[in-house]
Amino acid sequence: MASVSAFIIALYLAVLVIALIKRGKEFDSPWLFLLRCFFPSWRFFDSPGPQPRLFVRVLSEDECWSAWTMFIPRAPFQLRDLFYNPENNLRLTEQTLIEHLSLDVQDLLEGQKVDALVSYALTQRVAHRVARTLSSDHKIKAYQFELRLLPGLDDDPSEHRLLASPIIKEADYVS
Amino acid sequence: MSLDLAITAFTHLLALSLVIQTLEGISLSRRNDVKAVWVWSVQKGDLRHTSRIIQTLFAFFFDDRNYFFHLAIRLCVALSLLIQPYIGAAIFLLISSVILSIRWRGAFNGGSDFMTFVTVTGLLIGTSTSLFNDREMAWNAAFWYITIHSISSYFMSGAVKLLNQHWRRGSALTHFLDGGLYGPLTKRSFFRKPMIAKLASWGFILWEISFPLVLFDVDFAKVYCVIAFIFHLLVFRFFGLNRFVWAWVATFPAILYCAGRF
């Protein structure tokens, strides 16, 4: 039993070293992506590179487009969040979705359509949710979203637009 | 730390972590805005590469009513750990965690989900191996499994920061804190001062990469676990990552048990 334990530990340490060497490479298998909990990388806030952000604008009932508004999870601090924090965790999950979309868009192969991506379809719904909050009465005629890479701490100070959605009419929105 | 105390502390802290996660999940499952965004009819595209049977199975799991019942059972099983850890609970919790990971496209809350997998797997190792082997040997294996994962999480986190110039300069810390949930930093914040940000960064880096040293001395492990608890509270204070606190705290009994036995 002791030798089996030692072997398992040694095997795991080897996996750890490989993970450190291969850090930064993303999963390209659907099952590995869905079950990545079994292969933790433990990379937290490791690189302050370009940050993908969702921008949304809305067309109001009086045919005026709003300014582009960036979605960024923000909340006032509450101590009780330490024990119960569903709303904020959900917003953070939405930001993670946007980061996945950013990676999916950059990995698209020639001829592949972005609107076939699950991450795109879900982001469209997140954008719809955000769009409705931009209108005081939650009524909108249409909305549009963009995915942009905001500069990090690396040398490139410019902002890059990764994708722009078509204008989505509220009447055409499928819930 | 004695084995019985370690098992009790571990299972109670794991129960706390799971209860918090599950109550949050139950709350979200009832909300129309969540159902409007995270629609299984859209998400099932993630499983388009699988067989029809698997797609049907997960459609069943993620039906609103079934999903709620699953979470309700998960809550009860988590609470049962306060009484006695047993293999049935461990198996259920592991399968449940896999189902939830697929529901949220791999992870709902990233690292805390990963560490929950680790601790639940440790629970499974301890309870299942106890059936065939000496209880002490079984839980030794479980606690070593958890300890190695927990220690390596700190070490890896520190190592990647050490290899990044922005972390070494301290600018990465200010950058990330500005983007945190409870941010941005105020104009007068300590962490905007370059020297303080640099000192804090190096403090985190050195503490994290030295974490494996806890294996050599139990008193050292106690100090590091206290620092780790404070660290996770700070991460929560700036980034709102409450689940991380409880997911990692659940590993501390394992670390304290294994420390000095290396």
Side-chain angles (χ1 to χ4, degrees):
Chain A
M1 184 71 186
S3 59
V4 171
S5 301
F7 172 74
I8 291 170
I9 289 166
L11 186 65
Y12 175 69
L13 289 174
V15 170
L16 207 65
V17 171
I18 293 168
L20 188 58
I21 293 168
K22 283 182 164 290
R23 70 188 189 281
K25 296 197 171 39
E26 300 298 334
F27 293 107
D28 57 7
S29 157
W31 274 122
L32 281 181
F33 174 73
L34 292 174
L35 298 177
R36 62 185 183 277
C37 280
F38 284 108
F39 310 100
S41 68
W42 307 130
R43 289 185 289 125
F44 303 120
F45 304 107
D46 56 332
S47 177
Q51 180 73 39
R53 292 288 179 198
L54 180 72
F55 284 79
V56 180
R57 67 172 182 163
V58 299
L59 181 67
S60 59
E61 298 278 317
D62 52 7
E63 303 285 332
C64 288
W65 279 103
S66 70
W68 286 101
T69 302
M70 183 174 72
F71 164 68
I72 180 168
R74 291 285 199 214
F77 176 74
Q78 288 183 284
L79 189 56
R80 69 146 205 193
D81 291 349
L82 181 61
F83 300 98
Y84 185 70
N85 201 15
E87 176 80 23
N88 292 332
N89 281 324
L90 179 65
R91 298 292 160 251
L92 294 171
T93 300
E94 289 175 346
Q95 178 58 37
T96 301
L97 170 67
I98 290 158
E99 288 162 14
H100 288 156
L101 175 61
S102 168
L103 292 171
D104 289 344
V105 165
Q106 292 175 78
D107 287 343
L108 271 179
L109 299 172
E110 191 86 26
Q112 263 186 312
K113 290 188 178 176
V114 71
D115 52 6
L117 295 170
V118 172
S119 52
Y120 178 89
L122 291 173
T123 299
Q124 184 175 314
R125 290 171 174 272
V126 172
H128 180 255
R129 182 191 68 72
V130 173
R132 294 190 71 198
T133 65
L134 297 179
S135 165
S136 55
D137 57 2
H138 300 292
K139 287 182 182 170
I140 57 174
K141 281 197 77 173
Y143 71 103
Q144 188 180 23
F145 67 92
E146 288 186 348
L147 182 63
R148 301 181 196 171
L149 278 181
L150 301 191
L153 295 181
D154 295 325
D155 294 332
D156 184 2
S158 56
E159 191 176 291
H160 296 282
R161 190 175 71 178
L162 281 182
L163 77 86
S165 77
I167 293 171
I168 305 160
K169 292 181 185 169
E170 178 71 350
D172 296 337
Y173 180 76
V174 178
S175 63
Chain B
M1 183 179 263
S2 70
L3 181 66
D4 285 337
L5 180 59
I7 294 172
T8 302
F10 165 65
T11 52
H12 280 56
L13 289 169
L14 176 60
L16 174 64
S17 179
L18 291 170
V19 164
I20 288 171
Q21 291 178 15
T22 310
L23 285 174
E24 291 182 352
I26 288 173
S27 166
L28 292 173
S29 73
R30 316 283 292 191
R31 286 169 51 159
N32 289 330
D33 60 329
V34 174
K35 292 181 197 176
V37 172
W38 300 91
V39 187
W40 184 247
S41 58
V42 172
Q43 270 185 261
K44 67 182 183 182
D46 282 332
L47 296 180
R48 65 170 78 104
H49 60 289
T50 65
S51 68
R52 207 161 176 83
I53 293 171
I54 290 179
Q55 291 177 31
T56 306
L57 185 66
F58 281 102
F60 171 80
F61 283 140
F62 301 138
D63 167 79
D64 286 348
R65 184 187 287 190
N66 295 337
Y67 184 62
F68 174 78
F69 277 131
H70 162 221
L71 291 176
I73 295 169
R74 182 178 168 94
L75 181 64
C76 294
V77 172
L79 286 168
S80 75
L81 295 179
L82 295 174
I83 302 167
Q84 176 73 28
Y86 54 102
I87 186 173
I91 292 172
F92 174 84
L93 288 169
L94 192 65
I95 295 172
S96 169
S97 297
V98 170
I99 292 171
L100 290 175
S101 73
I102 291 173
R103 181 69 184 88
W104 294 102
R105 309 192 78 232
F108 177 71
N109 200 226
S112 64
D113 291 352
F114 301 163
M115 191 51 81
T116 299
F117 255 95
V118 167
T119 46
V120 168
T121 303
L123 179 71
L124 182 61
I125 293 170
T127 52
S128 62
T129 319
S130 293
L131 297 176
F132 308 106
N133 280 292
D134 174 62
R135 182 171 172 264
E136 184 175 342
M137 193 183 292
W139 280 98
N140 254 296
F143 286 147
W144 272 108
Y145 176 83
I146 294 167
T147 295
I148 285 173
H149 268 286
S150 185
I151 286 175
S152 61
S153 74
Y154 291 109
F155 175 79
M156 291 286 282
S157 182
V160 294
K161 291 185 179 78
L162 183 64
L163 296 172
N164 183 281
Q165 58 169 329
H166 300 295
W167 271 105
R168 293 196 302 270
R169 285 184 203 152
S171 51
L173 181 65
T174 312
H175 172 82
F176 285 122
L177 290 177
D178 254 345
L181 179 74
Y182 300 125
L185 293 172
T186 60
K187 288 191 177 133
R188 290 174 153 187
S189 170
F190 279 138
F191 294 112
R192 290 204 184 278
K193 297 181 179 7
M195 185 50 67
I196 294 193
K198 192 172 184 177
L199 280 172
S201 295
W202 274 100
F204 288 132
I205 289 169
L206 293 174
W207 169 71
E208 285 182 313
I209 61 173
S210 64
F211 214 95
L213 295 176
V214 302
L215 289 176
F216 295 99
D217 184 82
V218 68
D219 289 329
F220 203 66
K222 287 175 188 170
V223 171
Y224 264 57
C225 285
V226 168
I227 296 173
F229 182 57
I230 296 168
F231 168 77
H232 288 296
L233 286 178
L234 287 172
V235 169
F236 158 69
R237 173 61 187 87
F238 288 98
F239 299 103
L241 299 173
N242 65 311
R243 292 178 171 213
F244 278 62
V245 177
W246 307 113
W248 261 264
V249 163
T251 70
F252 291 173
I255 293 172
L256 293 172
Y257 179 78
C258 294
R261 292 172 198 258
F262 184 63

